[in-house]
Amino acid sequence: MSIRYVLGRLLFFFVVVWAGITLIFFLPRLAPGRDPVRERLGMMAAMGGMNAENVERLAQAYEAKFGLDLPLWQQYLNYMSDIARFNLGYSLAKFPTRVIDIIGPALPWTISLLTVATVLAFLLGSLLGGLIAWDGAPPILRFLLPPLFTFSAIPYYLLGLILIYLFAFKLKWFPLTGGSQILTMPSVSFSYLLELIYHSILPALSIVLASIGFWALSMRGMMITVEGEDYVTLAEAKGLPSGRVFLWYAMRNALLPQTTALALSLGTILSGSLLVEIMFGYPGIGSALFIAITGFDYFVIYGIVFMIVVTIALATLILDLIYPLLDPRIRYQEN
Amino acid sequence: MDNVLYHIRRNGMLTAGFVALFLMIALWFIGYMTVDVKQAAPLSARPDLPPSREFLLGTDSAGRNMLAVMVIGAPATLQIGLIAGALGTIVGTILGFTAGYFGGIVDSVIRSIADVGLTVPALAVLVVIASVITTTLSPEILALIIAGLAWMFPTRTIRSQVLTMRERAYVEVARLNGLNNLEIIFKELMPNLLPYLAASFVGAVSAAVLAAIGLEALGLGPQSEPTLGMTIYWARYYNGLPRGMWWWWAPPLLIIIMLFIALFMISAGLDEIANPRARRTT
């Protein structure tokens, strides 16, 4: 892997993060004559109540950095330097709480659910798609195509809603909402782990079911192209076992474009799973975003959007750096 | 034209998609003719009624006739998709052709912007915009906001198609015959890419509807307009699901799913025409 390639991908990472920050800063300020944060602060000050003093402090801090008397570029620089130090500000709804303290506890939930579900869907879907296209595979698999097709057209969270109704509300096999029982204290124990898994089966299932078809369909397309290649014909002519040709000659090469597709659809997958979290009341980033939106908690909204952008940019960077290791053609061409 | 008709006849996917879409429109029309759409407003019937002969899809907790809500909501949702999808495809076509055909620095700039834009999740950007103007959001404005991001994917895919077409022999022949760039684009490239552009458009409509109902699930949709996504949002907000009021959230959900499947089939069918290699796969 050449230095140039790595530097190029790193540059892309920073440009994406910078673009995200810039959008978060400028988009709300495009609304003519309105600053939602200031309005919200004004409303909170007018309501007075228990922490009028805190609101006052918050408003002063905001004015100092983003006051109308400051030129826009100064505000922008202030914002950038805050973000660079991961200072995302305070929650407007639960004032003394910092935004980072709202995002922090929610992050592991989202990351574990998302990683497990995406990896499962990607591997199962690719394997299934490969088998459907492979001549030596049982023909029964082909009947899976129409349902896979249908599921892949349904947004994750709508499928989640159906699953909640069937398996949680009607059959009562799974809990209706939440990431664990309300009364259980988190602990490092086997029973707590089981409880966590029990609560995440339905959310994970809705992501897996809805995305497995996508991977299967694109893998099937790739396999059909690969199957016609000379090296597959040669491997078959050599008399290699069918399973070996399938895995090491056909699948391995067809998986490369799949990895590119994975990098490209990370954003869609993440957005979809955030919405799934809301449907299930799963205590991750998605639910935190939902609570922030209903409470007009702008700093939390912007903080979460920033985290989403950074996460996606990082995941894309990692996939981009892994890709040359998978595909020797890229590795050598760059040298 | 004969060629296109031939494909429609033998292209099962495309036919099924159009039939599904047509059925939905027909159903909607029957509903529109028979239901009093004024009952889509709150307080027009007794709340929380299960489906009955009088209210075929029951009523919600605000006393809306759900059938009337569906008749109003389905076209409102589709409209968001059509506006955003059309704008996205038009802008994407212009930029894609410019970048792919002329290349050079223009290409680099357009491609970089689209690449960065595609990496930043659309929903995240939409949340930032919508959270500022949520109180005054109408379906049309929502469509325009979504259109602001809907051009990037078409731009990139159309660009790569143009890139491969530009080098073909018939383009070379056209150039030797003295056609100028615009003539080549409109007379030689466009007609060849039409099925592809159509597939792009359907894909963009579908993506726009997905973005719209995603925002609506977050409560960032038009507050006073009963689009399908907002109906599901309100059903969840007022606990329609644990209260067993399936007639509140299931009909909009089914309509959305049917719409997605129909659009998916049409786009896959068009893809088959645009990309003959895919034809082998059936």
Side-chain angles (χ1 to χ4, degrees):
Chain A
M1 207 181 332
S2 71
I3 304 281
R4 237 192 102 180
Y5 177 80
V6 177
L7 285 182
R9 297 332 294 169
L10 269 175
L11 180 69
F12 185 72
F13 167 81
F14 283 113
V15 170
V16 168
V17 173
W18 167 77
I21 297 172
T22 307
L23 285 174
I24 297 171
F25 178 81
F26 281 107
L27 283 178
R29 286 170 175 77
L30 287 180
R34 264 202 73 193
D35 182 344
V37 176
R38 190 168 284 113
E39 277 175 26
R40 181 82 190 140
L41 283 169
M43 230 160 79
M44 283 161 70
M47 282 195 291
M50 47 184 184
N51 49 12
E53 200 178 302
N54 284 339
V55 173
E56 188 59 33
R57 260 174 39 212
L58 197 60
Q60 271 169 11
Y62 183 75
E63 284 302 322
K65 267 182 192 155
F66 306 110
L68 289 175
D69 50 327
L70 291 173
L72 201 59
W73 61 267
Q74 184 73 49
Q75 296 183 35
Y76 180 55
L77 286 185
N78 283 339
Y79 188 71
M80 291 283 259
S81 77
D82 273 1
I83 291 266
R85 281 172 284 140
F86 272 84
N87 174 8
L88 301 176
Y90 292 91
S91 161
L92 291 172
K94 313 169 193 148
F95 168 57
T97 319
R98 288 181 308 160
V99 171
I100 204 97
D101 292 326
I102 291 180
I103 296 176
L107 212 51
W109 293 93
T110 300
I111 291 178
S112 52
L113 176 70
L114 190 62
T115 319
V116 172
T118 309
V119 169
L120 266 183
F122 181 76
L123 292 181
L124 284 178
S126 300
L127 187 65
L128 215 59
L131 281 173
I132 288 173
W134 188 248
D135 286 330
I140 297 197
L141 279 175
R142 275 172 204 147
F143 290 103
L144 282 174
L145 214 52
L148 283 180
F149 227 82
T150 314
F151 280 141
S152 71
I154 305 176
Y156 302 179
Y157 84 92
L158 293 183
L159 198 59
L161 211 54
I162 298 175
L163 292 182
I164 296 178
Y165 181 71
L166 289 179
F167 296 108
F169 180 73
K170 276 281 169 194
L171 296 169
K172 300 197 167 42
W173 289 354
F174 292 99
L176 265 174
T177 176
S180 63
Q181 299 294 347
I182 297 171
L183 293 174
T184 345
M185 290 301 286
S187 60
V188 189
S189 68
F190 188 60
S191 66
Y192 185 63
L193 183 70
L194 276 184
E195 194 180 310
L196 291 185
I197 293 176
Y198 177 59
H199 278 76
S200 44
I201 288 178
L202 275 191
L205 192 65
S206 41
I207 299 175
V208 171
L209 270 186
S211 52
I212 203 171
F214 175 77
W215 299 119
L217 288 177
S218 71
M219 189 64 182
R220 176 171 149 265
M222 269 322 295
M223 270 307 253
I224 286 164
T225 327
V226 169
E227 255 187 330
E229 297 280 352
D230 290 342
Y231 54 81
V232 174
T233 319
L234 176 70
E236 275 166 352
K238 275 202 297 191
L240 288 179
S242 172
R244 198 181 145 133
V245 179
F246 174 71
L247 272 182
W248 293 105
Y249 287 77
M251 277 294 270
R252 202 174 152 197
N253 284 294
L255 262 178
L256 292 172
Q258 285 280 93
T259 325
T260 319
L262 180 63
L264 287 179
S265 40
L266 281 175
T268 324
I269 299 174
L270 178 68
S271 318
S273 75
L274 293 184
L275 297 174
V276 168
E277 282 182 11
I278 299 171
M279 293 298 128
F280 284 91
Y282 197 77
I285 295 288
S287 297
L289 180 62
F290 182 66
I291 294 168
I293 287 172
T294 37
F296 300 102
D297 200 341
Y298 290 102
F299 291 139
V300 177
I301 299 177
Y302 300 155
I304 289 177
V305 168
F306 169 70
M307 285 308 290
I308 293 175
V309 173
V310 172
T311 313
I312 291 296
L314 199 63
T316 311
L317 176 68
I318 293 172
L319 275 177
D320 277 344
L321 293 183
I322 290 178
Y323 196 71
L325 302 178
L326 298 176
D327 191 345
R329 277 168 301 189
I330 292 194
R331 203 157 60 219
Y332 294 124
Q333 162 196 329
E334 295 286 332
N335 281 331
Chain B
M1 195 60 214
D2 280 345
N3 196 24
V4 173
L5 284 177
Y6 165 76
H7 280 306
I8 289 176
R9 232 176 286 131
R10 53 155 285 192
N11 188 325
M13 220 34 150
L14 195 62
T15 320
F18 273 122
V19 168
L21 203 59
F22 179 77
L23 275 179
M24 287 173 72
I25 294 173
L27 266 176
W28 172 81
F29 190 72
I30 295 172
Y32 187 74
M33 297 315 283
T34 53
V35 181
D36 177 12
V37 290
K38 285 199 196 77
Q39 291 188 330
L43 304 177
S44 48
R46 258 183 54 209
D48 298 338
L49 289 176
S52 64
R53 188 160 297 181
E54 194 189 355
F55 300 108
L56 284 176
L57 289 177
T59 61
D60 69 4
S61 289
R64 283 184 273 244
N65 177 355
M66 284 311 292
L67 192 57
V69 171
M70 291 304 98
V71 168
I72 296 282
T77 295
L78 187 61
Q79 180 203 0
I80 297 175
L82 287 176
I83 295 177
L87 285 175
T89 314
I90 292 172
V91 175
T93 308
I94 296 172
L95 289 178
F97 267 93
T98 316
Y101 189 79
F102 295 105
I105 186 110
V106 185
D107 179 34
S108 308
V109 171
I110 293 177
R111 200 193 46 201
S112 311
I113 295 177
D115 273 358
V116 171
L118 280 172
T119 310
V120 179
L123 191 72
V125 179
L126 292 172
V127 162
V128 174
I129 307 174
S131 64
V132 180
I133 49 174
T134 174
T135 41
T136 50
L137 204 58
S138 70
E140 290 80 12
I141 292 179
L142 184 61
L144 288 180
I145 294 174
I146 293 172
L149 297 172
W151 57 271
M152 290 180 274
F153 193 69
T155 299
R156 203 158 85 170
T157 53
I158 291 168
R159 171 190 167 273
S160 60
Q161 287 293 319
V162 173
L163 219 51
T164 62
M165 291 233 159
R166 196 179 61 174
E167 308 298 332
R168 299 274 171 84
Y170 66 83
V171 177
E172 211 51 47
V173 171
R175 192 169 293 133
L176 291 176
N177 276 338
L179 266 66
N180 64 32
N181 286 333
L182 278 182
E183 280 172 330
I184 292 177
I185 288 179
F186 284 105
K187 289 187 182 156
E188 302 291 330
L189 295 178
M190 279 281 190
N192 278 302
L193 275 178
L194 262 187
Y196 194 83
L197 295 179
S200 252
F201 169 65
V202 178
V205 172
S206 183
V209 174
L210 184 68
I213 62 166
L215 276 180
E216 288 167 337
L218 285 162
L220 291 174
Q223 305 292 315
S224 51
E225 201 92 16
T227 57
L228 298 178
M230 281 319 280
T231 308
I232 295 178
Y233 173 76
W234 293 125
R236 262 190 47 80
Y237 193 83
Y238 292 110
N239 287 320
L241 199 132
R243 281 160 69 199
M245 293 169 66
W246 55 267
W247 60 89
W248 194 349
W249 54 267
L253 192 145
L254 287 180
I255 296 177
I256 293 175
I257 290 178
M258 274 172 63
L259 181 65
F260 275 124
I261 293 177
L263 289 176
F264 185 67
M265 287 194 291
I266 293 176
S267 126
L270 285 170
D271 230 23
E272 227 168 273
I273 298 176
N275 176 13
R277 211 173 208 185
R279 254 177 249 157
R280 244 199 78 192
T281 61
T282 36

